[in-house]
Structures are given as structure tokens and as C-alpha cells.
Amino acid sequence: MSWKKNLGILACFVGTAVGTMHVINRVFTHIATAYNYLDGNDLKYYDWRFGRIAYRKTGSGSPVLLVHNFDVCSSMHEWNNIEAELAKTNTVYSIDLLGCGCSERPILTYTNFLYVQLINDFIKNVIDEKADVIVSGNSASFVLMACANDETIINRIVMINPQNLASLAKMPTKRSKFIKYLLYTPVIGTFIYNMRVNKRTISQKFYSDCYYDVNEVNEKDILTCFEASHKDKTRSRYLYACQKSRYTNANILFCLGKLTNSIFIISGNGNPENALIAEQYQNQLPSIEIVGINNTKDLPHLEKADEFLAHVQVLLTEED
């Protein structure tokens, strides 16, 4: 068999494989976005310099900013169980971070400081006064660093199961940079992303990590997360690539010592690791107060919204 024939067979095989992946990618996007759970008439938009940011404003009173977990599956939908109740006493701003929910998904390198800038600019330009912040999961580092960067924008901080300080400090490597490059490729990167982030993997995470009582898992929440991760032609893969490549990490130990704000951690005690991580933060900054909610895991504000709100209302009315 001549080399030309071999080359032709290889080209045909590669073309067929890429074509198949492209079709699968299109099907994934169609299925994920079919229900259109995320878009709503109550959304507002902040034209930030790096992309359009979706947010919702409800209620009246002293401002509270709600920042969802830093994940391609997350959005302001995470706050649906507590938003209306908080809005009875506060002006509540729920934000979709860049690359998430209904916000834009530009092709750029997403870094920790990019989100620090976003928090800073959103409070200054949209809220326009000092605000309390409730932040979930891996987004906590953005809020802490924004607070350390400018002490005039944030009052009290309530963190829900923040990220492990040791994993947060890990920096990009040659291997992780290659992962970013691979995931940024048009068809192959999208296909890899779809294999890693889909309804099955999201469901597994809900049942294993997010909820203590699996009977409380809501199918609509799973479908909303699935939609968020594949909205806008699966451009969330750029954020996913940067997360997996550790570009969104930062060592925040230096800024913890600078903070004088009232800081609280609400921990889902159904996962013992959450309590241990909370103690990491308290060891670095002893003034941090820790509140545990039993029989919950990573989403106590969804799983036990009433108990969560009771704690938050006490914490946000404490005198500084």
C-alpha cells in the first residue's frame, strides 16, 4: 500500500472523527439549553470592560451581594431559596460571574484577579455603596482579595464552605498549561469538555457532594446547572480550562492577615472536610466565626434554607 493511500485513509479517518465529535457537540448544546431555565425578564446587565455581566436586584434596605460558587455549572439560580426572604429586609444583588450563567463568556485567560476586579467594580459602579457579601464555595477567595484590595467596598462577609487553602495556592504547571491549550481547541476541546461536564457528571456531584439528603435533590436544579455549563455554544469551556489549569487560583494567606472585617463561615457539617477547611481559615484569622449546619453538605443554603437564613439574619445584624 502506497504512502499516498495511507495518508488518504488517515485523512478520511480524522475527518470522520472530527465530524462525529462536531455533531455530538451540537447535540449536547441543543439538549442542555432546550428548557431555557436561566433567562428571565428580571435580569439586568452591567457592561463591564471584560464582558457583559448579568445580575438581579430585588428588595430594599442595606445592600447584600450574593456571589455564587465558582463553577461553570453555577449561576445566580443558586440563591433562589433565600433571595426573596433576604429581599424583605435588604436590597439584594445576585450576580452571574463572568463565564457563568447569563453573563458573557469571552475567549480570554480567566484569572483570580480578573474576578477580584469584577467584584470591586460591580460594588463601586452598580451597588455604589459599601455592601455585605454572601459568597459560596470557591468564589470566596475573590471576595476576600477584593476586600483586602479596597477596604471601602465590603462590610461583612459570610462564606459558605470556602475552598481549601492548600489547593487554592497551587499554581499552573507545564502539564496544566497544556490542558488549557487542549480545551481551547474548537472541536476536540469542546468534545473533551462535554465528556467531562454533562448531565450525568453534574447529577453525580449533586448526589455525592452537594446534598446530605439525596431525596432533596431537585431535577430542575440539575438541568439548570447543565444549561449553565453549555450556554452560548459551550463557551464555558474557556473558564473550565483556566480552572483546571489553576489560573484562577491564588495564595490568599497574605491578604487574610490584613482583613479587619467581620467574617463568618457557614459550614455544611455533613461533609467533615468542610469543618476542617473552616478551621484552616480561623487558624489564619482567629476573629473568623464558624457556624455549622448539620445534615447538609456543600449547599446548606439550598438544602436547609430556613436554618441558613436564620443564621445569616443574626450574622448580618451583629455590630461591627
Side-chain angles (χ1 to χ4, degrees):
M1 189 178 293
S2 69
W3 67 270
K4 289 184 179 180
K5 191 171 183 179
N6 287 336
L7 188 61
I9 293 172
L10 178 62
C12 183
F13 174 78
V14 171
T16 302
V18 171
T20 301
M21 284 189 284
H22 177 69
V23 171
I24 291 172
N25 292 339
R26 294 290 296 271
V27 170
F28 258 92
T29 301
H30 175 74
I31 293 173
T33 58
Y35 293 97
N36 199 29
Y37 285 133
L38 289 174
D39 293 312
N41 296 328
D42 57 345
L43 292 182
K44 300 177 183 293
Y45 289 91
Y46 165 46
D47 290 318
W48 192 44
R49 59 187 182 275
F50 293 109
R52 208 170 182 221
I53 303 300
Y55 71 96
R56 187 165 52 231
K57 179 183 177 182
T58 53
S60 61
S62 60
V64 176
L65 174 61
L66 304 180
V67 184
H68 62 77
N69 181 36
F70 186 53
D71 188 282
V72 292
C73 300
S74 297
S75 67
M76 67 177 79
H77 176 80
E78 184 177 330
W79 305 108
N80 279 7
N81 288 5
I82 69 167
E83 195 173 25
E85 191 65 28
L86 275 176
K88 292 179 180 179
T89 54
N90 300 86
T91 303
V92 179
Y93 295 83
S94 304
I95 188 174
D96 277 342
L97 295 173
L98 192 72
C100 302
C102 292
S103 291
E104 277 195 59
R105 294 159 168 77
I107 304 174
L108 49 74
T109 297
Y110 294 81
T111 65
N112 187 285
F113 192 64
L114 180 74
Y115 291 97
V116 174
Q117 289 178 290
L118 172 56
I119 299 297
N120 191 303
D121 291 346
F122 186 84
I123 294 175
K124 285 185 174 180
N125 299 324
V126 178
I127 300 178
D128 196 29
E129 62 178 302
K130 202 170 188 178
D132 294 322
V133 181
I134 303 175
V135 56
S136 174
N138 296 353
S139 295
S141 65
F142 310 146
V143 174
L144 293 174
M145 291 184 72
C147 190
N149 186 56
D150 186 346
E151 61 184 15
T152 67
I153 62 170
I154 295 175
N155 188 16
R156 289 160 292 207
I157 301 172
V158 178
M159 301 188 290
I160 306 166
N161 296 321
Q163 188 176 357
N164 185 303
L165 288 171
S167 64
L168 185 58
K170 292 179 179 178
M171 293 293 102
T173 63
K174 288 182 179 179
R175 180 177 177 275
S176 67
K177 290 176 181 178
F178 174 74
I179 292 172
K180 175 178 176 286
Y181 172 79
L182 186 62
L183 285 166
Y184 269 54
T185 56
V187 177
I188 297 173
T190 304
F191 181 77
I192 295 171
Y193 175 79
N194 287 335
M195 295 300 101
R196 300 284 295 177
V197 183
N198 51 60
K199 187 184 176 185
R200 179 182 58 82
T201 59
I202 293 168
S203 297
Q204 287 176 344
K205 188 171 182 179
F206 263 83
Y207 283 101
S208 63
D209 299 332
C210 295
Y211 278 75
Y212 181 85
D213 183 357
V214 295
N215 294 315
E216 293 294 321
V217 175
N218 188 320
E219 180 71 8
K220 184 178 178 181
D221 290 338
I222 294 173
L223 291 173
T224 303
C225 288
F226 187 31
E227 178 184 333
S229 64
H230 288 78
K231 197 174 175 65
D232 194 14
K233 299 179 181 178
T234 321
R235 288 168 65 98
S236 291
R237 77 177 190 277
Y238 303 122
L239 171 56
Y240 180 82
C242 292
Q243 283 185 287
K244 293 301 178 183
S245 304
R246 302 174 181 170
Y247 283 91
T248 56
N249 285 358
N251 189 334
I252 64 169
L253 293 179
F254 80 95
C255 79
L256 281 174
K258 295 173 59 178
L259 299 176
T260 58
N261 308 65
S262 295
I263 302 176
F264 313 95
I265 295 178
I266 295 182
S267 172
N269 287 348
N271 182 353
E273 186 180 358
N274 289 336
L276 295 174
I277 293 172
E279 289 176 5
Q280 285 183 355
Y281 284 80
Q282 193 178 57
N283 289 338
Q284 297 297 323
L285 188 61
S287 61
I288 290 177
E289 296 181 39
I290 300 173
V291 176
I293 298 182
N294 294 328
N295 300 328
T296 66
K297 286 190 174 181
D298 288 354
L299 299 174
H301 47 305
L302 287 179
E303 194 165 7
K304 288 196 173 182
D306 291 341
E307 187 174 346
F308 176 86
L309 279 166
H311 287 301
V312 164
Q313 287 165 353
V314 171
L315 297 176
L316 294 187
T317 53
E318 286 189 5
E319 293 294 331
D320 291 332

